[in-house]
């Protein structure tokens, strides 16, 4: 997702440190203090405009959520929604997910969501895929022992790559769906913006759940 540069984005982020940070290292091992109550922590990397993480926060008030988005203009769109909703179990980070082990203490996170991550299809771009081994290493560090990773995509190439990458890393698969919307999970599935767009075009959605 690319949005045109929004001049208001950076000032809006700077004016609302209670909901969003560009310096997540500052809160390492202290994230729970940013929420109204202590609760298991779930992190989405690459929120886009935030439909998924916002609906998750509304649906599961007994959990705390953090959305990480790299692009300032996109993170500011999520922030705008949060400024209206003021969900007390949602915090935002505007930073690169590649630093996730610097943002969270070992075992601080219960679940990680990757939704419709950029596929980076060229071989030389593989290192940027959010399921590349250097990312998996970091997820392993920050996830608690029983923590898990959920990944959805419409991109078959990225899905196959991710299955192999996680399998080679020694991860254990709890669920694999080759057509999420026709599966028994469909009813409780919370859709992302990309998921709505691609499924309306008739594309199949893949999903996996795995742990280390
Ligand atoms: N998850 C949303 C959805 O399913 O509708 C957005 C999908 S969009 C294809 C991918 C998003 O991930 C973009 O907004 C992009 O800026 C963000 N992103 C890509 N790489 C990232 C990274 N390393 N750290 C944080 N965000 C990232």
């Amino acid at each position: 997702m690319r949005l045109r540069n929004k001049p208001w984005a950076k000032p809006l982020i700077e004016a609302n440190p209670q909901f969003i940070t560009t310096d997540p290292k500052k809160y390492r091992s202290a994230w729970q203090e940013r929420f109204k109550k202590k609760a298991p922590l779930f992190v989405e990397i690459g929120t886009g405009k935030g439909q998924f993480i916002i609906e998750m926060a509304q649906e599961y008030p007994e959990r705390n959520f953090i959305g990480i988005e790299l692009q300032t203009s996109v993170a500011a769109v999520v922030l705008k929604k949060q400024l209206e909703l003021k969900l007390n179990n949602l915090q935002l980070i505007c930073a690169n997910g590649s630093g996730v082990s610097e943002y969270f203490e070992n075992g601080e996170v219960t679940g990680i969501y990757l939704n419709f991550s950029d596929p980076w299809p060229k071989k030389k771009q593989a290192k940027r895929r959010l399921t590349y081994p250097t990312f998996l290493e970091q997820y392993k560090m920050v996830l608690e022992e029983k923590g898990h990773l959920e990944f959805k995509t419409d991109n078959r190439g990225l899905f196959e790559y991710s299955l192999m990458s996680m399998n080679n890393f020694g991860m254990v698969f709890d669920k694999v769906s080759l057509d999420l919307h026709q599966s028994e999970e469909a009813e409780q599935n919370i859709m992302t913006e990309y998921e709505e767009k691609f499924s309306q075009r008739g594309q199949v959605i893949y999903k996996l759940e795995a742990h280390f």
Side-chain angles (χ1 to χ4, degrees):
M1 171 182 304
R2 277 254 145 234
L3 284 187
R4 199 177 308 146
N5 183 42
K6 295 181 192 300
W8 51 266
K10 198 162 174 268
L12 188 74
I13 288 173
E14 284 168 357
N16 289 285
Q18 75 282 24
F19 286 128
I20 189 164
T21 180
T22 54
D23 186 12
K25 290 181 198 172
K26 212 163 76 180
Y27 300 104
R28 193 171 196 257
S29 81
W31 285 103
Q32 294 292 347
E33 291 164 24
R34 287 181 63 78
F35 294 95
K36 191 165 179 202
K37 54 183 188 202
K38 202 168 174 227
L41 191 60
F42 292 80
V43 176
E44 183 187 18
I45 304 177
T47 59
K49 292 181 185 169
Q51 177 171 311
F52 174 81
I53 200 79
I54 286 172
E55 270 194 60
M56 288 294 282
Q58 291 170 322
E59 185 74 23
Y60 299 100
E62 73 286 4
R63 301 181 188 174
N64 286 334
F65 292 91
I66 295 182
I68 304 180
E69 172 54 52
L70 177 62
Q71 295 181 71
T72 306
S73 295
V74 183
V77 173
V78 194
L79 174 60
K80 259 191 157 180
K81 295 177 184 170
Q82 170 64 331
L83 286 171
E84 276 172 30
L85 296 165
K86 298 195 169 49
L87 299 169
N88 56 33
N89 61 339
L90 176 63
Q91 284 286 323
L92 304 170
I93 292 175
C94 181
N96 195 328
S98 64
V100 93
S101 62
E102 296 174 77
Y103 310 158
F104 300 99
E105 184 56 87
N106 291 359
E108 198 175 4
V109 177
T110 297
I112 292 177
Y113 303 106
L114 306 176
N115 292 316
F116 299 81
S117 309
D118 296 324
W120 299 111
K122 293 185 186 150
K123 219 174 178 178
K124 65 177 183 198
Q125 299 171 327
K127 285 184 181 166
R128 298 189 204 170
R129 296 177 194 149
L130 295 187
T131 50
Y132 190 76
T134 49
F135 281 92
L136 299 181
E137 261 165 40
Q138 297 196 55
Y139 304 156
K140 187 177 181 184
M141 281 189 237
V142 303
L143 278 172
E144 61 180 48
E145 213 171 303
K146 287 184 188 154
H148 70 286
L149 184 106
E150 295 188 20
F151 172 57
K152 292 196 280 189
T153 184
D154 65 304
N155 188 300
R156 192 172 175 104
L158 181 64
F159 195 67
E160 286 174 356
Y161 168 83
S162 302
L163 284 169
M164 283 198 295
S165 178
M166 291 180 189
N167 186 52
N168 292 342
F169 201 86
M171 289 183 77
V172 178
F173 296 101
D174 302 305
K175 282 185 195 165
V176 175
S177 175
L178 299 181
D179 191 351
L180 175 62
H181 293 180
Q182 298 306 319
S183 74
E184 55 189 25
E185 269 190 89
E187 216 170 285
Q188 81 231 32
N189 177 48
I190 289 183
M191 290 224 233
T192 79
E193 279 103 347
Y194 270 59
E195 185 170 2
E196 272 183 4
K197 191 168 81 180
F198 290 129
S199 57
Q200 274 164 14
R201 288 184 197 160
Q203 277 175 243
V204 160
I205 305 301
Y206 307 101
K207 180 175 179 188
L208 67 80
E209 287 183 33
H211 65 272
F212 290 96

